[in-house]
């Protein structure tokens, strides 16, 4: 059984250009960025429609997510929680950043 999670995109500069994002997932990752830095978050893969080959530069480019976007998804490896998949985004609003070391808000 897969559990759905909600999280916030913190980095979208995927070195492999696959549209992946670094997401801080609520209930799995700490809000304290000094304990879990953005660069140590796993890459989350976006789901693409069946009209996209999603390989070898063929298909739709998933460009819509930016830092601060709320997303929801699941982990395809279950309880190991190392292979996250983004199913979609959720409307939200920016919260003022009080502390540079806090997650679950727009990092910019």
């Amino acid at each position: 059984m897969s559990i759905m999670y909600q999280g916030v995109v913190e980095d979208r500069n995927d070195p492999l250009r696959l549209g992946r994002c670094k997401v801080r997932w609520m209930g799995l990752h700490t809000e304290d960025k000094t304990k879990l830095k953005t660069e140590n978050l796993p890459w989350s893969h976006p789901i693409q429609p069946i009209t996209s080959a999603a390989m070898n530069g063929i298909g739709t480019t998933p460009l819509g997510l930016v830092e601060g976007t709320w997303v929801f998804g699941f982990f395809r490896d279950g309880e190991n929680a190392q292979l996250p998949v983004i199913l979609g985004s959720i409307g939200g609003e920016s919260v003022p950043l009080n502390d540079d070391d806090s997650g679950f808000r727009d990092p910019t």
Side-chain angles (χ1 to χ4, degrees):
M1 180 172 134
S2 293
I3 298 172
M4 301 299 257
Y5 291 94
Q6 185 173 328
V8 175
V9 174
E10 291 190 4
D11 181 5
R12 61 184 166 123
N13 297 308
D14 181 359
L16 298 180
R17 298 182 182 176
L18 298 174
R20 301 176 302 171
C21 297
K22 297 253 182 175
V23 175
R24 187 170 301 272
W25 295 101
M26 294 178 73
L28 291 176
H29 299 138
T30 178
E31 180 180 13
D32 187 344
K33 288 186 179 181
T34 62
K35 293 181 180 175
L36 178 58
K37 296 181 180 187
T38 300
E39 58 264 22
N40 295 328
L41 293 170
W43 286 107
S44 297
H45 291 262
I47 291 290
Q48 295 189 37
I50 62 169
T51 55
S52 174
M55 61 178 281
N56 297 331
I58 303 167
T60 307
T61 304
L63 296 175
L65 302 177
V66 296
E67 289 83 354
T69 302
W70 281 93
V71 297
F72 72 100
F74 68 98
F75 287 81
R76 59 185 171 177
D77 61 339
E79 292 180 12
N80 290 328
Q82 296 301 304
L83 301 172
V85 175
I86 299 169
L87 293 174
S89 61
I90 303 168
E93 60 182 299
S94 294
V95 176
L97 188 61
N98 298 329
D99 181 351
D100 287 344
D101 294 329
S102 294
F104 302 115
R105 53 183 51 94
D106 185 346
T108 61

